[in-house]
Amino acid sequence: MYRISELAKRCGVNKETIRYYEKRQLLPLPTRTEAGYRLYSDADAKRIQFIKRLQQLGFSLTEIHQLLGIVDQDKERCANMYEFVSKKVEEVQKQIKDLQRVVCMLQDLQKRCPDDKALYECPMIETLIEEEFST
Amino acid sequence: MYRISELAKRCGVNKETIRYYEKRQLLPLPTRTEAGYRLYSDADAKRIQFIKRLQQLGFSLTEIHQLLGIVDQDKERCANMYEFVSKKVEEVQKQIKDLQRVVCMLQDLQKRCPDDKALYECPMIETLIEEEFST
DNA sequence: ATAAACCTTGTACTAAGGTACATAGTCAAG
DNA sequence: CTTGACTATGTACCTTAGTACAAGGTTTAT
């Protein structure tokens, strides 16, 4: 068991971030020393790494809280899991499609870059505005 | 030529957003009536639609300002365009890879959802944490 | 001529996801 | 027995991308 600074160092996050996650209920209330210092274990470190990984992957802290319902075997949060996950799958698939279009646009731009005139003549606005929004 | 409310209505944005874009230099300083009212044309409407579209695609207002350098034929912003675009391409390609992994994870989760036990035994944490971060 | 509906500016507020600081208590070493 | 390094709490501040509002000037309609 170690204190907050040690946990922060191990996870590469700020101490205040850990307190913030506690407030957001992403971390369980830690045990305390007699003086009131928070005490953590490797399970907490693993949980923080999980949170950070999901965050990198584009989940909000609210969504991560929902997903942690599985880890915590929480009936309430798990009850809505199927709907939540289905929605998120669709959302992410749409996002992937959009990003693939962004890559195409950027690569076209990249090819034009060495030549100023080609750049200025780039049909970027028309390309993007006149397409239907992907649904 | 029309005033700010008309432009806002045509573009489906808030009037304050237009003033905010002006302050952020995403829109040029508009001409004014004698009383000081801003006057806009269809070119401004098109520009706002472009901004909104890029925003949907995940660009920040700062990035959009850079890209508008092409539209404005601005030497300074265009000078850094190749580097900017190259970086963004890599970034977005990494993001696509990450999101594809997210979809797989979520679809696995989705399959387990009807069965509580399978859900609780879901190796989500291990799956995500123990993988190398895609670089 | 006067109210309603617009416009101007500036400032303050929102949400998310933190970071930083002020003040006070705790603990180990010299 | 006090200094330095830690921790606690609460509050304030940061960024991004806006939104809302107050106080005042302008335009339009009756």
Side-chain angles (χ1 to χ4, degrees):
Chain A
M1 303 289 276
Y2 34 83
R3 291 189 305 201
I4 198 166
S5 285
E6 175 68 15
L7 180 64
K9 210 173 60 189
R10 287 184 190 217
C11 298
V13 302
N14 201 302
K15 286 185 292 192
E16 338 277 311
T17 302
I18 295 172
R19 292 207 309 116
Y20 178 68
Y21 285 177
E22 184 182 317
K23 212 172 70 189
R24 292 280 311 248
Q25 307 205 57
L26 294 168
L27 296 176
L29 292 175
T31 53
R32 303 262 188 159
T33 65
E34 305 215 336
Y37 292 3
R38 290 169 178 81
L39 286 178
Y40 298 100
S41 70
D42 289 344
D44 298 296
K46 212 167 169 186
R47 193 170 172 112
I48 288 174
Q49 280 161 44
F50 177 63
I51 294 168
K52 288 321 243 180
R53 182 71 183 125
L54 284 176
Q55 230 180 356
Q56 282 188 342
L57 294 173
F59 290 85
S60 71
L61 293 185
T62 304
E63 289 171 334
I64 294 169
H65 178 257
Q66 167 84 36
L67 284 171
L68 282 167
I70 297 170
V71 176
D72 298 336
Q73 310 206 358
D74 176 314
K75 290 262 175 215
E76 218 180 308
R77 275 175 289 166
C78 283
N80 312 310
M81 197 54 71
Y82 189 81
E83 212 195 325
F84 168 73
V85 169
S86 305
K87 256 191 207 152
K88 192 71 188 172
V89 166
E90 275 181 46
E91 200 182 304
V92 174
Q93 279 173 338
K94 174 184 181 323
Q95 211 183 331
I96 289 172
K97 260 196 230 160
D98 278 349
L99 290 180
Q100 280 164 346
R101 299 242 325 272
V102 167
V103 168
C104 290
M105 182 200 82
L106 290 175
Q107 283 174 340
D108 177 58
L109 221 52
Q110 203 176 17
K111 270 181 244 147
R112 291 162 188 270
C113 275
D115 180 359
D116 274 8
K117 271 195 192 138
L119 196 56
Y120 296 150
E121 282 156 13
C122 167
M124 181 171 55
I125 290 192
E126 285 66 25
T127 304
L128 285 174
I129 285 187
E130 280 157 33
E131 279 172 46
E132 293 299 310
F133 283 40
S134 62
T135 46
Chain B
M1 301 290 277
Y2 34 84
R3 290 188 307 199
I4 197 165
S5 286
E6 175 67 16
L7 180 64
K9 210 174 57 190
R10 287 183 190 217
C11 297
V13 302
N14 201 302
K15 286 185 293 193
E16 338 277 310
T17 303
I18 296 172
R19 293 209 309 117
Y20 178 68
Y21 286 178
E22 183 182 317
K23 211 172 71 189
R24 292 281 310 247
Q25 307 204 56
L26 293 168
L27 295 176
L29 292 175
T31 53
R32 304 264 188 159
T33 65
E34 304 214 339
Y37 292 5
R38 290 170 177 81
L39 287 176
Y40 298 100
S41 70
D42 290 344
D44 298 296
K46 210 166 170 187
R47 193 169 173 114
I48 288 174
Q49 281 162 44
F50 177 62
I51 293 168
K52 289 320 243 182
R53 182 70 184 126
L54 284 176
Q55 233 181 353
Q56 281 187 343
L57 294 173
F59 291 86
S60 72
L61 294 186
T62 304
E63 289 171 333
I64 294 169
H65 177 258
Q66 167 84 38
L67 284 171
L68 282 167
I70 297 170
V71 175
D72 298 336
Q73 310 207 359
D74 176 314
K75 289 263 173 212
E76 217 180 308
R77 276 175 289 165
C78 283
N80 312 308
M81 197 54 72
Y82 189 81
E83 212 195 323
F84 168 73
V85 169
S86 305
K87 255 191 207 150
K88 192 71 189 172
V89 166
E90 274 182 45
E91 201 183 302
V92 174
Q93 279 173 338
K94 175 184 180 322
Q95 211 182 330
I96 290 172
K97 261 195 229 160
D98 279 349
L99 290 180
Q100 280 164 346
R101 299 243 324 271
V102 167
V103 168
C104 290
M105 182 199 84
L106 289 175
Q107 283 173 340
D108 177 59
L109 221 54
Q110 203 176 16
K111 270 181 244 145
R112 291 162 187 270
C113 275
D115 179 0
D116 274 8
K117 270 193 192 138
L119 197 56
Y120 296 150
E121 281 156 13
C122 166
M124 182 172 52
I125 290 194
E126 285 66 24
T127 303
L128 285 175
I129 285 187
E130 279 156 35
E131 278 172 47
E132 293 299 312
F133 284 39
S134 62
T135 46

